[in-house]
Amino acid sequence: MIAVLISGQGTNLKALIDDGIEIAVVVSNNANAYGLQRAQSAGIPTVCISNEDELIGTLQNYELDLIVLAGYMRILSPHFVSLYERRIINIHPSLLPKYPGLNTHQRAIDAGDDEHGCTIHFVTEELDTGPIIAQEKLLITNWDNVDMLKHRVQALEHALYSKTIRTLLRS
Ligand code: GRF
């Protein structure tokens, strides 16, 4: 069973739902996250929590194999990370270790990179630096702008996240 933590649109969450991944609960720190509606439409329990102790308490009601961060815009404390060591994963819109943090598409364009993509990694105490599980690449073209790159990278994310989660749940 997995829990999915979101803060916003939830397009990655939608991809997991559409792919038939079983989700015990969707948690958002933001009551207006559109992803909450996506989960509710799919009949998945949702909770809105911003306090980390409450978050831990809620997650402990479930037997979770994985905690999946999908656009969750909060940094987890070392305490949280230690409770779920190697069981928290995140998807990041760059080829880590390049471009941890925000504005990854703009940074890749500004640097004149030929390739870009997304990375799935285990979450550790340090932002966007945990062990890499999977990456998917694309070539940046001359006509790519930030919006186009974001869409192209998200298409890669949606396919890679459910494939990787299935593999992790089987192992
Ligand atoms: C994704 O691009 C992911 O890489 C990043 O946040 C974004 C979330 O998008 N961590 P969505 O909420 O899944 O649409």
Side-chain angles (χ1 to χ4, degrees):
M1 270 296 198
I2 70 169
V4 182
L5 274 53
I6 62 166
S7 298
Q9 277 301 307
T11 63
N12 278 283
L13 169 67
K14 177 182 185 303
L16 302 186
I17 293 171
D18 290 350
D19 206 39
I21 303 260
E22 240 189 296
I23 301 170
V25 62
V26 170
V27 184
S28 173
N29 63 307
N30 164 20
N32 298 319
Y34 182 61
L36 287 173
Q37 289 180 42
R38 297 186 197 270
Q40 283 154 9
S41 309
I44 300 167
T46 60
V47 229
C48 185
I49 303 174
S50 52
N51 174 283
E52 199 183 76
D53 289 332
E54 273 179 46
L55 174 62
I56 292 170
T58 298
L59 294 177
Q60 283 179 342
N61 292 328
Y62 300 90
E63 288 214 358
L64 296 173
D65 302 299
L66 275 183
I67 295 174
V68 172
L69 308 188
Y72 187 63
M73 300 303 283
R74 281 277 174 90
I75 296 175
L76 298 170
S77 72
H79 172 58
F80 186 107
V81 172
S82 69
L83 286 176
Y84 291 99
E85 215 182 334
R86 288 264 171 172
R87 278 189 294 155
I88 312 171
I89 62 172
N90 182 43
I91 190 155
H92 182 78
S94 78
L95 295 173
L96 291 172
K98 276 196 160 180
Y99 316 130
L102 298 174
N103 302 321
T104 57
H105 310 303
Q106 186 68 60
R107 288 154 73 195
I109 290 173
D110 290 349
D113 289 354
D114 294 330
E115 51 178 33
H116 186 44
C118 62
T119 303
I120 297 168
H121 65 94
F122 286 110
V123 171
T124 57
E125 290 177 18
E126 309 259 328
L127 183 69
D128 299 332
T129 54
I132 290 173
I133 305 165
Q135 286 188 315
E136 199 77 68
K137 290 180 186 178
L138 53 72
L139 292 178
I140 299 181
T141 65
N142 286 337
W143 53 89
D144 268 315
N145 58 32
V146 169
D147 279 346
M148 286 167 67
L149 259 192
K150 180 179 164 192
H151 270 90
R152 294 179 64 215
V153 169
Q154 283 205 328
L156 297 183
E157 290 184 359
H158 298 158
L160 188 65
Y161 222 3
S162 58
K163 187 172 115 185
T164 305
I165 288 167
R166 279 190 196 288
T167 306
L168 289 171
L169 290 176
R170 272 199 302 267
S171 65

